[in-house]
């Protein structure tokens, strides 16, 4: 049996390599998309029901709190005046001045009092803002004198004199109890408002009624409060009396017409009218509702979620608070999400299938060539040479295969020349080593381009999708996961490439002037949420002598601090992580900066400290975590050494670790801060030219990324997939600016830039290079080719806006964004032990006030906290602002003394 027939007999049969590569990959993507889509839709539908009920509950409770507070005002005013009259400090001689002061302090439209002695004083605020005073006179109580005055009682002007009226208000309190009047319309012309008055009796020493105090409220203020509530797009809130008359409404309809009040059943607002009619029909009468009710009804094929809450006070007010929220206000986004999930699923399936087929073909072709060559060698044909360039690992395998074939051939043909052959091999090895050193730069450039280019699309499209504020919180969270994962992958790639550049001796300092305070604050903002999520306290402590503006390599200093803080938070489960920064002045403008990163984590064993800074070496804790590459600390140490210092570590198992390093800097005069909060660009300012932008890139996803980023802002954008097409479009369309990729087939970006810049017209066109290379010498080559500037992939959108503003003078419209503090700060994570700095009596008062939802009492107690515990006071004050009284109750209840 010859070798060929033996190979046929022994030829394995089974599934192909392409199927093994493609089918699991496609199935994995498809199943993941289907599961995620189903769970997302189901979760969205469940969340809508919960959100609607939570929203109505929250709004109802907010209205009840507001009503409780608002209607107390007139009763408090009456009590103040009753006490003043009883003590003799309020009489007809000084009443006008005191009531004017009360008008300034309290939200009341009228304040007055009447005595059985016919003494009467009234202060009233008109809808125009003017103030009138009506009073009897000591020598003539048969007439009312009405004056127009200012808020101080000056510039009095008599405008009306009327006959004295009977003491109707005194009759209203014959039952000896404070009470509320019926709701009545305003008598002021042009003021379609409804009012209600609180009347309180005045007693003499014998408990006989000698007069009445009265304060009036404008109920329009309650409607204003309802309109300011955040409900939903079509949600409504209204308050009615037991007969259905409207007291307040979040709609803009008038509550009174021709001196007649509007009933909710006859409201011009269709939502309010339909809701009131349904409630009236379901319960038979509004007065039948005595407890909180939650109902649902369908109106115009839209489910309405309704919360009815009775509200009363002990002096006669008896109202119903009704909150109605259409479910469609929430379901619209669910339907939109369903369509997006279906589209994304189809795109993912198509992309994964295409990608799987492409990768499998890319891998299998060189394997087939190697297989054919191996069969030829087995048949006795040793003259084989296989070239593979598509995959680095297969390329190495092909080189080894070729070398094996060549060695076998030489061994059989020229055994006598082995010594000479070894000499040749040594020379070849030397040449290969020299070629490897020369090729290392090319390897770095190729690796950077091949890895960073797809990351540019991933991170870029994540930024574009994150600009869409219509995404629900869950989708925003998914985008955050994509972005963080991409950033993590980019950091791993950068670590590997940085280590390669360090070994090749290509890392150099790139010094610049920067704001050290801004750098520390930015680092704090990056890690505070991650620390808080693990329950850790993150603090940055700066020496008083620390200079603000310094000159050194900002990028490398930031990378060192990021690596050390990231490790500290990663391997700390409880306690805190501190960054201490000190500055020691040297000669002239030189400073020595000392940094120490201290944690309360697991610690590092002494036997592991010696190998801690070796590449790809991790501690036992790091290996158990399954995270990292083991490059962060070696790179950090190389950077510190490059900056003229060294890094040291001290650690105790079970207690924590401290990393310390020093670096030399120079102080510089104040510079403009580069770390101001980034504002989101949402458009172009009006009155500018229509800017034409040409995007040149051989990868479709990179072109679409820039097109989707620039077009919504207002730029005219066209695309070209190689340098030749770019030149043609430049000649016919004359763009103002070109984003040029440098590595492309047909004609690369270098040649295209040279040809464009060789024309006089091309000198006026700004050309900005987009490249995935990380080599500094690449930037010099790009600029030498004629490009005006250089941007690396993956880029951030803020860099794109900045460069276009720099070269075109574009002016943008920005979205509003809250200002961020520029000083390093620290936050306190509230725990029961945080309150133990205060006395047990103080803690008991805080517990009682939180149970009573008494925000004023809580704030008074917070004001008693010593200034040395400002973070505790700020954290408690934030809980009050968030109405998180339950958390305060929980914290105080966990202390044994309460």
């Amino acid at each position: 049996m010859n070798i060929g027939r033996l190979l046929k007999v022994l030829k394995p049969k089974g599934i192909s390599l392409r199927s093994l590569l493609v089918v699991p990959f496609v199935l994995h993507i498809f199943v993941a998309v289907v599961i995620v889509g189903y769970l997302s839709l189901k979760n969205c539908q469940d969340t809508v029901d919960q959100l609607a009920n939570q929203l109505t509950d929250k709004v109802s409770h907010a209205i009840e709190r507001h009503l409780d507070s608002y209607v107390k005002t007139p009763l408090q005013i009456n009590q103040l005046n009753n006490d003043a009259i009883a003590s003799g400090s309020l009489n007809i001689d000084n009443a006008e001045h005191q009531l004017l002061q009360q008008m300034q302090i309290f939200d009341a439209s009228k304040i007055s009092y009447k005595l059985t002695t016919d003494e009467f004083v009234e202060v009233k605020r008109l809808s125009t803002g003017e103030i009138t005073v009506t009073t009897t006179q000591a020598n003539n109580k048969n007439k009312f004198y009405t004056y127009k005055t200012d808020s101080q009682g000056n510039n009095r002007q008599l405008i009306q004199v009327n006959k004295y009226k009977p003491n109707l208000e005194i009759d209203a309190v014959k039952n000896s109890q404070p009470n509320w009047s019926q709701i009545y319309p305003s008598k002021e012309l042009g003021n379609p408002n409804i009012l209600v008055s609180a009347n309180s009796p005045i007693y003499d020493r014998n408990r006989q009624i000698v007069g009445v105090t009265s304060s009036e409220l404008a109920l329009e203020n309650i409607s204003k409060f309802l309109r300011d509530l955040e409900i939903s797009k079509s949600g409504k809130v209204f308050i009615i009396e037991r007969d259905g008359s409207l007291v307040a409404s979040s709609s803009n309809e008038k509550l009174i017409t021709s001196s007649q009040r509007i009933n909710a059943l006859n409201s011009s607002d269709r939502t309010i009218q339909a809701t009131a009619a349904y409630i009236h029909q379901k319960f038979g009468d509004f007065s039948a509702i005595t407890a909180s009710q939650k109902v649902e009804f369908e109106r115009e094929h839209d489910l309405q979620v309704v919360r009815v809450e009775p509200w009363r006070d002990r002096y006669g007010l008896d109202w119903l608070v009704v909150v109605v929220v259409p479910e469609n206000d929430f379901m619209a986004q669910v339907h939109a999400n369903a369509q997006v999930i279906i589209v994304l699923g189809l795109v993912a399936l198509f992309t994964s299938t295409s990608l799987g087929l492409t990768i499998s073909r890319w891998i299998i072709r060189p394997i087939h060539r190697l297989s054919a060559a191996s069969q030829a060698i087995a048949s006795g044909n040793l003259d084989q040479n296989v070239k593979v360039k598509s995959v680095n690992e297969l390329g190495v395998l092909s080189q080894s295969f070729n070398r094996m074939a060549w060695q076998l051939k030489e061994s059989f043909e020229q055994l006598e020349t082995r010594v000479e052959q070894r000499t040749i091999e040594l020379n070849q090895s030397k040449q290969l080593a020299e070629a490897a050193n020369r090729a290392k730069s090319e390897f770095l450039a190729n690796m950077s381009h091949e890895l960073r280019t797809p990351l540019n699309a991933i991170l870029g499209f994540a930024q574009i999708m994150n600009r869409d504020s219509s995404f629900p919180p869950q989708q925003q969270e998914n985008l955050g996961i994509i972005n963080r994962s991409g950033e993590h992958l980019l950091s791993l790639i950068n670590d590997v490439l940085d280590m390669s550049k360090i070994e090749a001796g290509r890392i150099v300092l790139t010094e610049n002037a920067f704001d050290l305070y801004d750098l520390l604050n930015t680092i704090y903002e990056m890690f505070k949420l991650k620390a808080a999520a693990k329950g850790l306290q993150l603090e940055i402590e700066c020496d008083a002598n620390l200079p603000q503006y310094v000159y050194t390599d900002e990028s490398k200093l930031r990378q060192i601090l990021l690596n050390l803080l990231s490790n500290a938070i990663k391997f700390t489960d409880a306690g805190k992580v501190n960054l201490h920064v000190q500055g020691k002045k040297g000669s002239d403008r030189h400073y020595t900066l000392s940094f120490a990163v201290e944690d309360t984590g697991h610690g590092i064993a002494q036997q592991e400290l010696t190998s801690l800074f070796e590449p790809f070496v991790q501690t036992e804790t790091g290996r158990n975590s399954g995270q990292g590459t083991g490059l962060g600390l070696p790179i950090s140490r190389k950077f510190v050494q490059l900056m003229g210092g060294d890094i040291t570590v001290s650690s105790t198992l079970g207690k924590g670790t401290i990393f310390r390093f020093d670096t030399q800097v120079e102080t510089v005069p104040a510079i403009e801060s580069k770390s101001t909060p980034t504002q989101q660009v949402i458009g172009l300012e009006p009155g500018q030219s229509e800017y034409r932008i040409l995007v040149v890139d051989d990868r479709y996803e990179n072109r679409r990324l820039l097109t989707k980023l620039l077009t919504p802002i207002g730029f005219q954008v066209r695309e070209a997939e190689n340098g030749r097409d770019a030149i043609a479009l430049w000649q016919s369309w004359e763009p103002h600016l070109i984003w040029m990729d440098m590595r492309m087939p047909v004609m690369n970006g270098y040649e295209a830039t040279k040809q464009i810049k060789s024309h006089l017209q091309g000198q006026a066109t700004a050309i900005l290079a987009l490249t995935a290379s990380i080599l500094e010498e690449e930037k010099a080559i790009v600029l030498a080719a004629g490009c005006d500037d250089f941007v690396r992939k993956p880029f951030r959108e803020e860099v794109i806006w900045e460069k276009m503003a720099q070269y075109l003078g574009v002016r943008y419209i920005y979205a509003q964004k809250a200002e961020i503090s520029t000083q390093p700060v620290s936050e306190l994570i509230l725990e029961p032990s945080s309150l133990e700095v205060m006395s047990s009596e103080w803690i008991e008062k805080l517990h009682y006030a939180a149970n009573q939802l008494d925000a004023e009492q809580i704030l008074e107690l917070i004001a008693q906290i010593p200034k040395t515990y400002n973070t505790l006071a700020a954290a408690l004050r934030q809980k009050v602002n968030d109405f998180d009284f339950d958390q305060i109750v929980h914290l105080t209840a966990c202390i044994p003394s309460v």
Side-chain angles (χ1 to χ4, degrees):
M1 181 180 292
N2 59 30
I3 294 178
R5 292 179 63 186
L6 179 62
L7 289 175
K8 289 181 180 180
V9 172
L10 298 177
K11 182 178 180 181
K13 297 181 180 180
I15 191 170
S16 67
L17 180 59
R18 173 175 292 186
S19 299
L20 285 174
L21 291 172
V22 175
V23 173
F25 182 70
V26 173
L27 285 177
H28 176 76
I29 297 296
F30 179 75
V31 171
V33 169
V34 170
I35 292 175
V36 170
Y38 170 76
L39 294 178
S40 299
L41 291 176
K42 187 176 185 302
N43 185 58
C44 285
Q45 291 172 349
D46 294 340
T47 302
V48 165
D49 296 334
Q50 297 176 7
L51 183 60
N53 288 325
Q54 291 174 1
L55 180 60
T56 56
D57 290 349
K58 179 180 178 182
V59 172
S60 296
H61 293 158
I63 296 171
E64 289 178 2
R65 289 194 297 270
H66 180 74
L67 291 177
D68 290 341
S69 174
Y70 188 62
V71 300
K72 284 181 182 178
T73 300
L75 296 169
Q76 292 172 345
I77 295 172
N78 290 348
Q79 187 61 47
L80 287 174
N81 291 335
N82 286 359
D83 295 342
I85 292 172
S87 66
S89 61
L90 178 64
N91 54 55
I92 197 167
D93 295 326
N94 62 10
E96 179 181 339
H97 177 70
Q98 291 195 32
L99 297 188
L100 281 170
Q101 285 186 332
Q102 292 175 4
M103 186 68 71
Q104 295 178 18
I105 296 173
F106 297 104
D107 186 12
S109 60
K110 182 176 72 175
I111 305 174
S112 65
Y113 76 87
K114 271 185 184 181
L115 301 180
T116 54
T117 59
D118 294 337
E119 181 178 322
F120 173 76
V121 179
E122 175 189 270
V123 176
K124 185 175 184 179
R125 182 187 289 113
L126 303 179
S127 61
T128 59
E130 296 178 331
I131 295 177
T132 63
V133 179
T134 302
T135 181
T136 58
Q137 296 183 356
N139 57 356
N140 186 1
K141 297 182 180 178
N142 296 322
K143 292 183 179 181
F144 286 123
Y145 295 86
T146 302
Y147 301 88
K148 183 186 294 184
T149 182
D150 59 18
S151 60
Q152 303 299 323
N154 301 322
N155 302 321
R156 289 168 53 112
Q157 178 183 353
L158 182 63
I159 60 174
Q160 192 174 6
V161 179
N162 293 325
K163 290 184 178 180
Y164 180 76
K165 298 178 182 178
N167 290 326
L168 298 178
E169 287 83 354
I170 295 177
D171 294 337
V173 294
K174 288 296 185 179
N175 60 358
S176 303
Q177 291 291 334
N179 60 45
W180 291 94
S181 69
Q182 296 292 326
I183 297 176
Y184 54 89
S186 173
K187 295 180 180 180
E188 182 185 352
L189 293 177
N191 180 19
N193 198 355
I194 56 177
L195 311 167
V196 66
S197 294
N199 304 308
S200 299
I202 305 173
Y203 298 97
D204 61 10
R205 295 179 179 178
N206 298 322
R207 297 298 297 171
Q208 297 296 317
I209 296 177
V210 296
V212 62
T213 54
S214 179
S215 299
E216 183 181 79
L217 283 180
L219 298 182
E220 172 61 21
N221 292 335
I222 300 179
S223 294
K224 291 179 181 178
F225 172 79
L226 299 183
R227 285 192 285 271
D228 291 340
L229 286 174
E230 294 183 2
I231 311 171
S232 68
K233 180 180 178 182
S234 307
K236 298 290 182 182
V237 184
F238 59 96
I239 302 174
I240 60 175
E241 292 188 286
R242 290 296 180 162
D243 62 355
S245 298
L246 281 170
V247 176
S249 167
S250 62
S251 68
N252 293 319
E253 69 172 326
K254 296 181 179 179
L255 302 182
I256 184 172
T257 58
S258 302
S259 299
Q260 296 293 326
R261 292 179 59 196
I262 300 297
N263 194 290
L265 296 172
N266 301 320
S267 172
S268 60
D269 188 289
R270 296 179 62 188
T271 300
I272 294 177
Q273 188 273 334
T275 303
Y278 177 79
I279 295 173
H280 190 270
Q281 178 185 0
K282 180 176 180 62
F283 295 98
D285 190 14
F286 294 121
S287 60
I289 301 175
T290 59
S292 177
Q293 301 290 337
K294 291 184 180 179
V295 296
E296 295 179 353
F297 72 97
E298 189 169 318
R299 171 176 168 263
E300 297 178 356
H301 307 292
D302 186 6
L303 184 66
Q304 311 289 317
V305 180
V306 182
R307 168 77 175 261
V308 184
E309 192 74 35
W311 180 87
R312 303 179 183 86
D313 79 339
R314 59 177 178 166
Y315 297 114
L317 293 181
D318 187 5
W319 298 340
L320 292 178
V321 178
V322 183
V323 182
V324 54
V325 178
E327 194 177 68
N328 262 356
D329 285 0
F330 305 98
M331 289 301 296
Q333 188 60 46
V334 173
H335 297 321
N337 290 344
Q339 296 177 359
V340 170
I341 290 173
I342 292 173
V343 172
L344 289 178
L346 294 175
V347 171
L349 183 60
F350 175 77
T351 303
S352 62
T353 303
S354 302
L355 187 62
L357 292 173
T358 302
I359 293 175
S360 65
R361 184 165 54 251
W362 196 36
I363 295 174
I364 291 172
R365 283 182 178 176
I367 292 177
H368 283 167
R369 289 198 293 269
L370 286 171
S371 176
S374 64
Q375 291 178 5
I377 290 176
S379 301
N381 184 4
L382 300 179
D383 191 10
Q384 299 295 320
N385 185 27
V386 180
K387 294 183 179 180
V388 177
K389 298 181 180 180
S390 58
V391 181
N392 291 336
E393 288 77 4
L394 292 176
V396 173
L397 179 60
S398 68
Q399 291 177 2
S400 302
F401 182 87
N402 293 335
R403 190 177 298 111
M404 178 193 69
W406 178 78
Q407 289 175 350
L408 284 174
K409 180 180 179 181
E410 291 297 314
S411 296
F412 283 102
E413 294 179 355
Q414 300 181 2
L415 292 176
E416 68 279 3
T417 61
R418 181 176 299 175
V419 174
E420 180 183 355
Q421 184 62 38
R422 287 182 178 178
T423 303
I424 295 174
E425 290 176 0
L426 289 174
N427 290 333
Q428 288 179 341
S429 298
K430 181 181 178 181
Q431 293 173 2
L432 287 173
E434 293 173 351
N437 287 331
R438 291 192 301 269
K440 201 158 193 177
S441 296
E442 182 179 356
F443 164 78
L444 291 175
N446 289 336
M447 286 294 292
S448 173
H449 184 271
E450 293 300 323
L451 294 175
R452 295 166 71 95
T453 295
L455 268 180
N456 179 58
I458 294 171
L459 294 176
F461 279 103
Q463 292 181 67
I464 290 176
M465 294 172 71
N466 199 38
R467 294 170 62 91
D468 191 349
S469 60
S470 65
F471 276 9
Q474 184 176 3
Q475 296 299 335
Q476 293 286 356
E477 181 183 357
N478 293 342
L479 284 176
I481 293 172
I482 293 174
N483 197 59
R484 289 193 297 273
S485 299
E487 293 286 358
H488 178 64
L489 181 57
L490 179 60
S491 68
L492 295 179
I493 294 171
N494 287 339
D495 283 349
V496 175
L497 295 178
D498 281 344
M499 183 55 66
S500 299
K501 290 165 67 179
I502 290 172
E503 292 177 349
R506 292 184 172 273
I507 289 290
V508 295
L509 287 178
T510 306
E511 297 178 317
N512 63 290
F514 63 97
D515 188 335
L516 180 60
Y517 289 3
D518 277 354
L519 173 62
L520 295 175
N521 190 61
T522 299
I523 291 174
Y524 173 79
E525 292 295 329
M526 291 174 65
F527 285 108
K528 69 174 184 179
L529 292 179
K530 186 175 181 180
K534 295 187 67 175
L536 303 178
Q537 183 175 349
L538 176 63
E539 293 182 354
I540 297 181
E541 300 175 0
C542 300
D543 186 31
N545 299 325
L546 188 69
Q548 182 172 1
Y549 304 101
V550 298
Y551 184 83
T552 187
D553 193 324
E554 179 186 9
S555 175
K556 290 180 177 58
L557 180 58
R558 178 189 292 109
Q559 186 63 43
I560 296 166
L561 293 175
L562 290 178
N563 286 343
L564 295 179
L565 284 171
S566 177
N567 284 345
I569 294 174
K570 184 191 306 180
F571 301 120
T572 302
D573 296 327
K576 62 182 181 179
V577 174
N578 284 357
L579 169 60
H580 306 272
V581 188
Q582 295 180 331
K584 182 178 180 181
K585 185 171 177 34
S587 59
D588 198 12
R589 295 186 293 110
H590 293 81
Y591 261 83
T592 299
L593 298 184
S594 299
F595 298 84
V597 177
E598 180 179 2
D599 64 62
T600 58
H602 304 289
I604 304 171
Q606 292 297 316
Q607 63 270 22
E608 293 182 315
L609 292 178
T610 55
S611 60
L612 191 62
F613 295 99
E614 294 180 9
F616 303 103
V617 173
Q618 292 182 292
T619 64
E620 181 179 358
T621 304
R623 291 190 297 271
N624 292 336
S625 71
Q627 303 180 47
T629 59
L631 292 177
L633 289 178
I635 291 173
S636 298
R637 188 176 199 179
K638 292 291 185 181
F639 284 176
V640 171
Q641 292 173 345
L642 191 64
M643 298 170 72
D646 202 354
I647 188 169
T648 61
V649 58
S650 59
S651 181
T652 303
L653 276 176
K655 292 186 177 180
T657 305
I658 303 177
F659 285 87
R660 294 184 175 89
F661 69 94
D662 296 336
T663 182
Q664 305 299 319
V665 301
E666 292 182 20
T667 59
V668 295
I671 59 174
E672 182 178 355
S673 176
K674 298 186 297 181
S675 61
T676 54
T678 303
Q679 292 179 293
Q680 182 180 353
V681 174
I682 60 174
L684 300 176
E685 285 189 8
Q688 302 185 75
S689 303
E690 292 186 354
Y691 295 102
R692 297 181 297 277
I693 310 298
L694 177 59
V695 177
V696 186
D697 201 305
D698 61 316
R699 291 180 177 265
Y700 170 78
E701 60 270 23
N702 288 341
R703 297 197 305 273
R704 294 308 299 163
L705 171 59
L706 274 173
T707 300
K708 285 181 175 291
L709 181 64
L710 300 176
T711 302
I713 303 303
F715 294 104
Q716 296 184 19
V717 183
R718 291 191 181 180
E719 302 177 6
E721 62 180 352
N722 55 60
R724 186 178 61 190
D725 294 347
I727 294 174
L729 263 176
W730 169 75
Q731 292 173 339
S732 62
W733 194 44
E734 299 183 1
H736 297 92
L737 183 143
I738 301 175
W739 287 105
M740 181 75 74
D741 184 31
M742 306 313 292
R743 292 191 178 192
M744 294 180 292
V746 183
M747 179 185 290
N748 60 35
Y750 301 97
E751 182 61 30
T753 301
K754 289 178 181 178
Q755 292 193 25
I756 293 174
K757 289 294 186 178
S758 66
H759 295 79
L760 182 61
Q761 177 185 355
Q763 298 297 321
T765 303
I767 301 180
L768 307 184
L770 273 175
T771 176
S773 173
I774 62 168
L775 299 178
E776 283 299 321
E777 48 265 48
E778 180 77 11
K779 182 176 181 180
I781 297 173
V782 167
L783 297 178
C787 292
D788 298 286
D789 212 330
F790 179 93
V791 175
R792 287 189 174 94
K793 302 175 185 175
F795 57 78
R796 295 189 177 275
E797 61 176 274
E798 303 87 50
V799 177
I800 300 298
W801 307 134
E802 178 185 352
K803 294 297 183 183
M804 297 183 71
Q806 177 182 348
Y807 290 98
L808 297 181
V810 181
R811 301 185 305 278
Y812 303 109
I813 300 173
Y814 299 95
Q816 295 297 319
K817 187 172 183 180
E819 184 177 352
I820 302 174
S821 170
T822 58
Q823 294 298 328
V825 295
S826 64
E827 290 185 349
L828 174 68
I829 299 172
L830 279 176
E831 297 177 350
S833 59
S834 305
L835 302 177
E836 293 178 356
V837 298
M838 304 300 293
S839 66
S840 58
E841 180 182 357
W842 183 92
I843 296 173
E844 289 176 0
K845 291 181 179 180
L846 180 65
H847 180 78
Y848 177 78
N851 266 320
Q852 299 299 316
L853 306 181
D854 191 343
E856 282 188 345
Q857 180 65 23
I858 296 175
L859 292 175
E860 290 178 3
L861 291 169
I862 292 174
Q864 300 173 15
I865 298 176
K867 292 184 179 180
T868 53
Y869 301 102
N870 284 339
T871 53
L872 172 61
L876 287 173
R877 196 173 292 111
Q878 185 61 43
K879 294 297 182 184
V880 176
N881 293 337
D882 295 339
F883 300 103
D884 194 2
F885 299 106
D886 290 342
Q887 180 64 14
I888 299 177
V889 171
H890 173 72
L891 289 170
T892 53
C894 291
I895 298 176
S897 61
V898 178

